[in-house]
Amino acid sequence: MKPTPLLAWYRALAIATGCALLIFCGFMIAKYGFGAAKDATMYVAMLHGYLYIGYFIVTFLLGQKLKWPMGRLLFTLAAGCIPFASFVAERRVVREAAAATTAAPAEQPVGV
């Protein structure tokens, strides 16, 4: 497997989506638990939503390129909506992509 720029996009969006989701969870606790940060919660929710849309698209394209089975694809897509799951999924995807890249022999021109 050749390295793909989708993997770099996936890593960035998985981390950003996971961080935004954790911040959003904190704001939800502040909003409903303490009655604070009501307006800011909406903006953090929108940020997470926009990041998740990008995460969804990139993850779907990466899953198609790497020929993931449907269950794997669905779990990885859902990881952007489960706190901490996007970090776990990101590490697993990167580890497996690195193993697939190093396992494939490098294509060298013959006679050089």
Side-chain angles (χ1 to χ4, degrees):
M1 179 187 100
K2 290 177 138 180
T4 175
L6 280 174
L7 186 60
W9 276 102
Y10 170 77
R11 290 187 76 183
L13 285 169
I15 292 169
T17 302
C19 290
L21 180 59
L22 291 177
I23 293 168
F24 178 50
C25 288
F27 273 84
M28 292 294 285
I29 291 169
K31 178 179 178 180
Y32 291 109
F34 304 104
K38 292 179 182 177
D39 293 333
T41 303
M42 180 183 66
Y43 295 113
V44 174
M46 288 175 28
L47 172 66
H48 169 67
Y50 290 132
L51 287 171
Y52 182 72
I53 291 169
Y55 171 83
F56 190 96
I57 292 168
V58 169
T59 302
F60 183 80
L61 293 173
L62 184 64
Q64 294 298 308
K65 183 170 182 69
L66 298 177
K67 297 178 177 59
W68 288 342
M70 185 59 71
R72 168 77 187 273
L73 181 61
L74 291 176
F75 169 75
T76 309
L77 289 170
C81 293
I82 303 168
F84 299 106
S86 67
F87 302 119
V88 174
E90 184 265 337
R91 290 309 317 149
R92 183 178 295 162
V93 168
V94 170
R95 185 177 344 113
E96 291 174 4
T101 302
T102 58
E107 296 181 16
Q108 301 268 336
V110 178
V112 175

